[in-house]
Amino acid sequence: MDQDSENNGYCGLNRPLDLAAEDVGVVEGHGGIGLDVLAFFTLALALAFGPLALVQPLASLDVLFALPLIARRQGRRLTLQDKAGAVTVAGGIVIFLSVAPPSGGVKAPSLASWGPVFLAAGALSAVTALAGLRVTGKARVIWLAVAAGSVFGVLSALTKATVDVVAMRGVGALGTWEPWALLLCGIAGALLGQSAYSSGALSLSLPVLDTLSPIVAVVIAATVFDEKLASSAWQLGVQLAGGAVAVAGIAMLSRSSIVAAETISGRERALSRMGAVALQGE
């Protein structure tokens, strides 16, 4: 990816905004950072009023806006497969939420309840990041996106925890562990997200992020925040089916013509930069 990949977003939420602004030549340097900040506070505001298991999946629907913008920048039209893949990803998330909308939950869970989350998400992101560094092409993008997605899911959960602590303690929240864990997780997420975005097509990495991130967040919502999800076996089955539909959408998008075109153009830019450097060294 070129300069547009250097302004990676918070949980992918700002990427459509970045792309839309690029179409009118707005995003340059501090502009991308400003959109990152706006995206973060928008998500934090939503989490202040709604359960994590509801807000994060909805935020992940940005793929519906990103793909048309990417196609526009390429001067291409979305194919039937592109449209079907995007709708399938979004449809899977909608199915998950419509069966049993999340509700309830505790505020500011104890650090002990977070222990298994940090271990599991840390292990998943480390293993997948290492796997991504050992391969190239689409496989590299997908592995790194999985690593980033797992961290982004934890990041959303920590944002929810921090917002709740700030609401209860105000400035005193700086004396708790949640804001500092949020900061460290944000740094890790930014590094992994940057690696995923710069390794290949955004149209390939974004659907992976937008599916895994809410899955991780929903698991944390149910286990750490004690938010209520499915209340019966059939509801749970439908929610699992919704997740499977979203994964199928990712598989469709991985074979998208937009992904292929974006990957090729990225290689061409990399080769041209290498040629320019070689000429300068002569």
Side-chain angles (χ1 to χ4, degrees):
M1 300 289 293
D2 55 358
Q3 181 66 28
D4 60 355
S5 295
E6 295 177 6
N7 294 320
N8 66 298
Y10 177 83
C11 295
L13 183 62
N14 74 313
R15 293 305 300 169
L17 296 176
D18 282 352
L19 289 168
E22 282 177 359
D23 281 336
V24 292
V26 173
V27 173
E28 292 182 2
H30 298 299
I33 297 175
L35 288 173
D36 288 344
V37 174
L38 175 62
F40 173 80
F41 281 105
T42 300
L43 183 63
L45 181 63
L47 288 170
F49 294 97
L52 174 63
L54 174 64
V55 173
Q56 181 55 37
L58 290 176
S60 298
L61 293 176
D62 59 356
V63 68
L64 294 180
F65 302 93
L67 286 178
L69 290 172
I70 294 171
R72 179 183 175 185
R73 292 177 61 224
Q74 293 180 355
R76 293 172 174 269
R77 290 187 177 182
L78 292 173
T79 65
L80 180 60
Q81 179 177 328
D82 298 332
K83 296 176 182 178
V87 172
T88 301
V89 172
I93 296 175
V94 171
I95 290 172
F96 175 86
L97 293 175
S98 61
V99 175
S103 61
V106 299
K107 294 184 179 296
S110 65
L111 179 58
S113 64
W114 282 91
V117 170
F118 292 146
L119 290 175
L124 176 61
S125 60
V127 170
T128 52
L130 290 174
L133 295 176
R134 293 176 177 271
V135 295
T136 59
K138 290 183 179 180
R140 183 185 184 92
V141 177
I142 292 174
W143 280 120
L144 291 175
V146 170
S150 62
V151 175
F152 286 164
V154 177
L155 188 59
S156 295
L158 285 172
T159 302
K160 171 67 172 175
T162 301
V163 168
D164 289 343
V165 171
V166 170
M168 292 185 294
R169 302 191 182 187
V171 179
L174 294 175
T176 64
W177 65 270
E178 286 91 346
W180 307 108
L182 174 65
L183 177 61
L184 293 176
C185 191
I187 294 173
L191 293 174
L192 289 171
Q194 173 68 40
S195 298
Y197 291 135
S198 61
S199 294
L202 173 64
S203 49
L204 176 59
S205 60
L206 187 59
V208 177
L209 288 165
D210 282 349
T211 298
L212 184 59
S213 174
I215 289 175
V216 173
V218 167
V219 171
I220 297 175
T223 58
V224 177
F225 288 86
D226 197 29
E227 293 182 4
K228 305 303 179 184
L229 302 177
S231 58
S232 64
W234 77 266
Q235 288 180 334
L236 179 60
V238 174
Q239 287 183 328
L240 292 175
V245 169
V247 172
I250 289 179
M252 294 174 64
L253 290 175
S254 68
R255 297 187 294 271
S256 166
S257 60
I258 294 178
V259 172
E262 198 176 359
T263 302
I264 292 173
S265 62
R267 290 174 181 170
E268 291 175 346
R269 287 191 295 268
L271 290 174
S272 64
R273 285 194 295 267
M274 291 172 61
V277 171
L279 290 174
Q280 291 175 358
E282 293 180 355

